[in-house]
Amino acid sequence: MAILDILHYPDPRLRTLAKPVATVDDGIRQLVKDMFETMYAAPGIGLAATQVDVHQRVLVLDVSEGRSQPLCLINPVIVAAEGSEQMEEGCLSVPDVFEAVERAERVVVHALDEKGNAIKVTAEGLLAVCIQHEIDHLDGRLFVDRLSALKRSRIRKKFDKQQRQVV
């Protein structure tokens, strides 16, 4: 297994639309293992393949306290969403930024697991938010895109300033 490099905002590769996985093979299973290792090391509760510069529809997450409920979703599709809630979100690709984002309170997702089996996940609360957040990544969207123009501008300026200081 390997810890992968996580892309950081405003890297344009984070805007890439991920392609569906045609076949869940050993390469995809290795990607999933590496993504879990990367997510846990970061530490985070979710990671989309787009964030590690792999543009396939794969995400991993584990919202449990003890890292005991790993979940892999390949080619996830939200088939039902209901309710609305605001929750503070952060992102491994947008470090040290936390903002309230409104999302569906409950979702039903169809996907494949790491063995290629079709699964259905019904989620609410933090798990539902995390799934929606990671699917956004696969669609080339970041949680900051769901914020007001003013907040987005402030965050962008902060990251632009950090990049100038590194160079």
Side-chain angles (χ1 to χ4, degrees):
M1 294 200 292
I3 294 179
L4 306 170
D5 290 332
I6 297 173
L7 300 177
H8 290 112
Y9 177 80
D11 192 309
R13 293 172 289 179
L14 289 167
R15 301 300 184 174
T16 305
L17 181 63
K19 292 181 172 70
V21 172
T23 306
V24 179
D25 57 16
D26 288 344
I28 293 295
R29 283 186 279 279
Q30 185 61 52
L31 172 65
V32 168
K33 288 177 187 173
D34 292 345
M35 286 175 62
F36 272 119
E37 186 174 1
T38 302
M39 178 189 75
Y40 288 135
I45 60 171
L47 185 67
T50 301
Q51 293 176 270
V52 293
D53 202 21
V54 176
H55 303 289
Q56 296 195 338
R57 296 190 74 79
V58 177
L59 64 86
V60 298
L61 35 88
D62 187 343
V63 298
S64 68
E65 289 285 327
R67 299 180 171 184
S68 60
Q69 297 172 354
L71 178 62
C72 167
L73 300 176
I74 298 170
N75 298 336
V77 176
I78 296 174
V79 296
E82 60 183 42
S84 177
E85 71 177 331
Q86 268 202 349
M87 192 175 287
E88 187 171 83
E89 293 185 28
C91 181
L92 295 175
S93 290
V94 190
D96 303 320
V97 174
F98 300 91
E99 293 288 342
V101 177
E102 189 167 323
R103 297 200 187 261
E105 185 178 15
R106 287 173 298 284
V107 295
V108 177
V109 179
H110 288 176
L112 301 175
D113 66 13
E114 61 272 17
K115 295 176 185 161
N117 299 317
I119 58 172
K120 175 182 168 183
V121 177
T122 302
E124 60 184 35
L126 180 58
L127 181 58
V129 166
C130 191
I131 289 170
Q132 293 169 82
H133 177 110
E134 300 309 331
I135 288 175
D136 270 2
H137 278 298
L138 300 178
D139 293 334
R141 192 168 186 190
L142 299 167
F143 88 99
V144 295
D145 299 336
R146 294 183 175 273
L147 303 176
S148 70
L150 178 61
K151 285 184 180 180
R152 273 195 318 272
S153 174
R154 286 182 181 158
I155 292 167
R156 178 66 190 241
K157 286 178 184 174
K158 173 186 171 182
F159 281 89
D160 286 346
K161 182 178 178 183
Q162 286 175 352
Q163 281 187 327
R164 283 193 304 273
Q165 291 173 344
V166 170
V167 176

